[in-house]
Each structure stands twice: as structure tokens, then as C-alpha cells.
Amino acid sequence: MPAIYALYVINKSGGLIFNKEFVTIASNSLNDTLRLASIWHSLHAIAVQLAPAPGCTGIELLRADTFDLHCFQTLTGTKFLVVAEPDTPDVEALLRETVYDLYADYVLKNPFYEVEMPIRCELFDQNLFNTIAAVHRRWGLVH
Amino acid sequence: METINAEIFTLTYGSMVRQLIADLEDISAVNKQLDEMGYNIGIRLIDEFLAKSKTGKCGDFRETVDRVAKVGFRMFLNTTAAVTNWNAEGTECSLILEDNPLTDFVELPEGCQNLVYCNVLCGVIRGALEQVSINTECSFVRDVLRGSDVSELRLKLLSLNKEEYPFKDDD
Amino acid sequence: MVAYNIYFFNRQGTCLYYYEWHRPKSVRQGAGTSADDQKMMFGLFFSLKTFAAAMDPRQDNKSLGAPLRIGEACTFHSFCTNNYKLHFLESPSGLKIVLNTGPDAGDLRDHLNYIYGAIYVECVLKNPAYTPGRPFSCELFTARLHHYIRSLGL
């Protein structure tokens, strides 16, 4: 059953600025999540360095036994990560269009939000939750 | 799978043991050498075993020993071992071998009563398990060649290793 | 579909075998030297394994950074970037195989298993001249590996 488990946003220096779970999963403490975000930031860069072909822009999809991790890096260096059920369809499009749009609207257009700082915007939270809930409903997953 | 005659295997092993006795003369040195040889076989054999039997992860030491006794012995010696005599913590057990292709037609002479003829098997098990991070001690407690009715291997779990990052993080 | 390169590592981090069929971005532009490249690759997948174990949505009581045993936790098997895909296989005996291909390659886990079982085990481990833990270069292994990779259309 396809499902989106969690979303994380990492700023261009590798710091975690947003994390949210949509389904109850076994998760890490906030400290560990912060470390994981920064580990991901480095691994993303190392993968580019080790690429056998030129023009690599970083890891887009990590496939593991029990989850898939999708990563969308914007041209400004911000990374959006989604942990989803393996083989969930359309996650890339969801990140690139829907979530990025919500970020551009409710976060960046909020005059009181400082760029690169942790995101604490109610509207972003709310709209994100609604979007993911709608997607899950389409897939038949009950919240 | 191509097969060869088991007797040539028995003869080859026998000839090797005899040569070791002739070269080393001291029976306990021969036993030690057989164990070393077994170890070298075991560290390679484990990959063959994993690849051919497509074994996944075992839940605990009991399952591991069962896998060795049933799948492993069948694959390489065409015989199975019975697993018995577990201690209370589940870290020690006995593998009983009723028939063993290595010892067909063998009789130990007078001067070799201390020879553990099949010590190579102990080394194989130790080497193979070490490669999957399980440290064990294995030895024969009963031997058909020395008067018992079955051969019994005592297998003891010493420790389990974790995967550590091998490089130092200073550079 | 193209195959770029393949690495075989043991659990001590020694690169036992490396071959590149096609590497448009040379090692010098990447890590610098071959040794650095291999060490970095080992570090990359080692950290990715730890990362995957920590991010596992099914497993409770995770402790980030604690040494793990192979097969104990969720592990990753591949990642894609925009221009290459890295496939990873780790056997319980500590042997790790990394294969880099073009980004459109499918799931090559079965093929990596074949390379492990039918090529590495047969040609290398059963070769009495091979010392486990040291880099190997065995003609039979190389021939079979190349033949197999070519037969996959890579």
C-alpha cells in the first residue's frame, strides 16, 4: 500500500529546518534526526564526488528494504526528503511541484520567516497535512 | 552439480593426515595443524555455503547451529548431524555425527591414539562462523575412531562481533 | 544501459577488486587517487547503511551510530542520481559488492547475487592461490564477470 511516512526539509548548510511524520512510524529523537539530516547532506555531496560520469547533481532516490527515500534538491540548495513505502508512485512529482509550491508560498512569502531557520509556519503545516491526507485518501489509506 | 567419487575424497584426506604425521611426528602438532587447515577452508567455504543455499539471517545461535548441521553438513559431506545437549543459556551444544565420509575404512594404530582424525571439521566450523561474526570454540568429545559409537562435536558460542568502521577517523 | 565500474570490498575496508568499463569523469576529478576513491566509496556505503538502519520506519529502539551486524537492520540496496545508479550487495560473510550503472538500470539485486555466488565464490574463493583478505586478480574471474555484465546488455 503506497504511503508517505515523513517529510524533512534541510537547508543549504545541512541543518534540519522541518520534520513531520504523517503516519505513525518508529522514529528517532530530535537530536538523532538532526544528526541524520547532516549525515544525509554530506552523503549527498560524496555521491556527487564519486560519480563515474560528469554532471551528477546528487542522490535522488535511496532504496532500502523497508522504505524508499526521495530527495529533491532545489537550485537554491534546499533539500526536501520524503520517506515513503517502497515503490510508492509519483513522489517525485509531489515533491517537485506540490511541496515546493507550498514551501514557496507559505514559508518564503511569510515576512516573519527567516531564511535557513527552522520552519514554524502554521499555514505551511496545515496545507502540507491536507495535501498528504488527500493523497493518502486517493491511495486508500485511512488516517 | 557434478559429483566425484567419495572414496577419492576419503583417500586424499587419509593420505594428507598420514603425511602430516610423518612430517610433524608430534600428534598434538598434527591435531593443531588439522584445525588450522580446517580454519582456512572454513573462511572460504562460508561464502560458497551462503551463495548456494541462499541462506538469510538466522534469528539466534540455535537456528545457526541447526542450519550448519542440516544444510551445511548435507551440502558438503552428504550427511546430517543431530543437534543435542543444549546448555541452559543456549550457548553450547553437541553435534552428533553418525556417519562421516572422512573416517570410512580408518583404524587408528597404536601410536596415534591421541590423534583427532577429523579435527579439520572443527576448524571448518570455527572459520566459517567467524566470517559471519560468530566466535566459537569447537572440539571433539567423542570419536568413533577411539571407541565411541558416534562422533560428538562440542560447539561453544564465545561472542558475537559487530561491524565496525575499519578506518580511523583522523584523516 | 551502461555499466561504469564495480568494486569488491571486505569488511576491513580493503578493496579486493576494482574494474572500470567506462568512467567519463576520471578518478582524479573526483576523489583524487584510486585509494582515496575506494576509501570514500567504502565510507559512503557504510554510512548509508547506518543511515538506512536509523531511518527504518519499522524498527524501534534505534541508536544512531551503534555498530550493527549484517542482516540485523534494514539496509539499502541501491540509490539513483540523475546520471548514475549505485547497486549494493552485502553478504553475511562481510563481502560487499558495489556496481555503478546508468540511471535507467532496473533492480539488479538478483544479478549481484549471481555475481557473488556463481562468479566470486567459484573463481576466487575456490582458487587455492587466493589469500582471503588480499586484493585478487584472477583471469577466470575477470573473464566470467565481463561476460556476464556484457550479457546483461550493460
Side-chain angles (χ1 to χ4, degrees):
Chain A
M1 159 97 55
I4 307 274
Y5 293 137
L7 173 83
Y8 304 91
V9 184
I10 303 180
N11 67 14
K12 62 163 85 72
S13 345
L16 182 76
I17 57 177
F18 183 78
N19 65 318
K20 185 151 184 74
E21 282 162 31
F22 303 107
V23 174
T24 329
I25 56 174
S27 60
N28 296 291
S29 65
L30 183 59
N31 248 344
D32 277 352
T33 311
L34 284 163
R35 283 170 65 193
L36 283 168
S38 129
I39 291 174
W40 177 259
H41 182 79
S42 325
L43 294 179
H44 195 258
I46 294 177
V48 173
Q49 223 185 350
L50 286 175
C56 182
T57 54
I59 305 179
E60 293 177 354
L61 168 62
L62 175 75
R63 300 183 59 124
D65 296 335
T66 55
F67 68 94
D68 278 356
L69 180 86
H70 299 256
C71 175
F72 167 55
Q73 182 169 250
T74 66
L75 292 167
T76 52
T78 310
K79 295 193 232 321
F80 291 88
L81 299 185
V82 158
V83 177
E85 179 74 24
D87 298 322
T88 303
D90 303 326
V91 183
E92 262 184 56
L94 181 74
L95 274 177
R96 199 177 316 234
E97 293 155 14
T98 324
V99 177
Y100 196 25
D101 272 357
L102 290 176
Y103 173 75
D105 286 344
Y106 297 107
V107 179
L108 297 177
K109 293 195 179 106
N110 182 341
F112 298 105
Y113 170 69
E114 276 181 64
V115 191
E116 305 294 293
M117 289 284 114
I119 297 174
R120 291 193 217 295
C121 309
E122 271 282 344
L123 287 172
F124 179 65
D125 263 356
Q126 196 53 49
N127 279 281
L128 184 66
F129 181 78
N130 291 342
T131 309
I132 303 290
V135 166
H136 279 170
R137 257 195 310 272
R138 219 183 16 220
W139 289 335
L141 187 75
V142 177
H143 261 217
Chain B
M1 190 148 63
E2 12 175 302
T3 53
I4 60 163
N5 189 327
E7 304 200 347
I8 201 144
F9 174 56
T10 310
L11 285 172
T12 308
Y13 184 72
S15 163
M16 196 171 68
V17 175
R18 283 226 42 200
Q19 193 60 44
L20 277 174
I21 297 176
D23 287 342
L24 298 173
E25 284 172 32
D26 174 24
I27 299 296
S28 57
V30 173
N31 286 339
K32 187 153 171 290
Q33 192 74 316
L34 286 173
D35 185 78
E36 277 297 311
M37 283 163 54
Y39 179 80
N40 280 315
I41 295 175
I43 59 180
R44 295 164 190 258
L45 206 67
I46 180 68
D47 276 308
E48 163 88 0
F49 174 72
L50 290 171
K52 295 278 154 53
S53 68
K54 301 199 193 317
T55 305
K57 180 177 150 52
C58 288
D60 57 11
F61 188 58
R62 271 179 195 260
E63 219 185 304
T64 311
V65 176
D66 256 346
R67 212 59 80 76
V68 167
K70 303 283 175 313
V71 186
F73 273 71
R74 158 119 353 247
M75 204 188 246
F76 298 114
L77 295 176
N78 202 25
T79 176
T80 51
V83 185
T84 58
N85 271 351
W86 280 98
N87 71 344
E89 298 96 39
T91 56
E92 271 187 51
C93 64
S94 291
L95 288 159
I96 312 278
L97 270 171
E98 292 206 357
D99 87 300
N100 180 352
L102 295 174
T103 55
D104 291 344
F105 321 121
V106 177
E107 269 176 33
L108 288 183
E110 280 302 315
C112 299
Q113 287 304 317
N114 288 336
L115 179 68
V116 186
Y117 190 82
C118 297
N119 216 20
V120 76
L121 288 179
C122 295
V124 170
I125 295 177
R126 184 170 63 91
L129 288 178
E130 194 182 283
Q131 288 296 98
V132 288
S133 311
I134 302 176
N135 294 332
T136 55
E137 230 172 54
C138 183
S139 54
F140 271 93
V141 295
R142 280 195 288 166
D143 198 341
V144 289
L145 298 178
R146 287 191 281 172
S148 312
D149 43 352
V150 288
S151 290
E152 182 180 338
L153 274 155
R154 190 80 193 148
L155 185 62
K156 183 163 146 193
L157 170 69
L158 296 175
S159 63
L160 301 172
N161 288 337
K162 305 246 175 189
E163 290 289 300
E164 305 235 320
Y165 189 64
F167 300 116
K168 289 199 262 293
D169 278 329
D170 46 20
D171 43 343
Chain C
M1 188 168 52
V2 63
Y4 290 118
N5 50 10
I6 192 167
Y7 304 72
F8 283 72
F9 289 94
N10 69 356
R11 56 159 54 96
Q12 275 76 40
T14 314
C15 183
L16 304 173
Y17 183 79
Y18 169 73
Y19 190 80
E20 59 187 48
W21 289 276
H22 182 54
R23 188 165 187 162
K25 179 171 170 224
S26 74
V27 173
R28 219 139 17 106
Q29 297 167 297
T33 65
S34 259
D36 273 347
D37 179 70
Q38 287 157 11
K39 201 161 154 187
M40 210 178 226
M41 179 57 82
F42 186 88
L44 175 67
F45 66 68
F46 194 90
S47 311
L48 276 173
K49 273 193 323 160
T50 315
F51 182 82
M55 294 291 277
D56 186 356
R58 308 254 167 100
Q59 184 61 39
D60 254 325
N61 298 327
K62 295 166 277 202
S63 57
L64 182 58
L68 298 166
R69 309 191 61 220
I70 300 180
E72 189 171 63
C74 166
T75 179
F76 84 103
H77 50 80
S78 65
F79 73 70
C80 294
T81 69
N82 60 320
N83 67 352
Y84 77 97
K85 185 167 179 181
L86 181 138
H87 308 264
F88 177 68
L89 176 75
E90 182 170 38
S91 89
S93 61
L95 178 83
K96 302 158 214 298
I97 308 181
V98 172
L99 173 66
N100 287 330
T101 64
D104 45 354
D107 185 352
L108 297 187
R109 272 182 286 182
D110 286 339
H111 298 295
L112 282 184
N113 268 307
Y114 181 84
I115 292 176
Y116 169 60
I119 305 183
Y120 171 74
V121 167
E122 292 298 311
C123 305
V124 178
L125 282 185
K126 288 189 178 169
N127 182 344
Y130 170 59
T131 322
R134 307 268 311 278
F136 57 83
S137 71
C138 159
E139 272 182 38
L140 186 59
F141 169 80
T142 315
R144 283 220 194 145
L145 178 67
H146 291 241
H147 181 81
Y148 186 68
I149 296 283
R150 233 169 323 165
S151 74
L152 295 178
L154 293 171

